[in-house]
Amino acid sequence: MASSDIGIDLGTASVLVYVRGKGVVLKEPSVVAYDKDTNEIKAIGEEA
C-alpha cells in the first residue's frame, strides 16, 4: 500500500491542499453561493 503526505489548509479566504512531491494540487476560494429562498447551493469555490 502506498501512502502520501497531504497537508490541508482551511484558511478564511481559500483552501489549499498540498501533496508531498507534487506541491499544491488545489487552491480554491472558500466561498459558497447559496439561495435562501430555495435552500439551494448555487456555486462553490471559484465559480461562486
Side-chain angles (χ1 to χ4, degrees):
M1 175 188 282
S3 67
S4 298
D5 290 330
I6 298 173
I8 301 173
D9 176 13
L10 303 173
T12 56
S14 63
V15 174
L16 295 171
V17 177
Y18 174 87
V19 176
R20 183 180 296 200
K22 293 186 179 183
V24 175
V25 296
L26 176 73
K27 182 179 181 181
E28 190 79 16
S30 55
V31 178
V32 176
Y34 175 76
D35 186 332
K36 293 190 311 182
D37 296 330
T38 63
N39 291 328
E40 185 178 7
I41 294 175
K42 297 293 189 177
I44 299 172
E46 190 71 40
E47 188 179 330

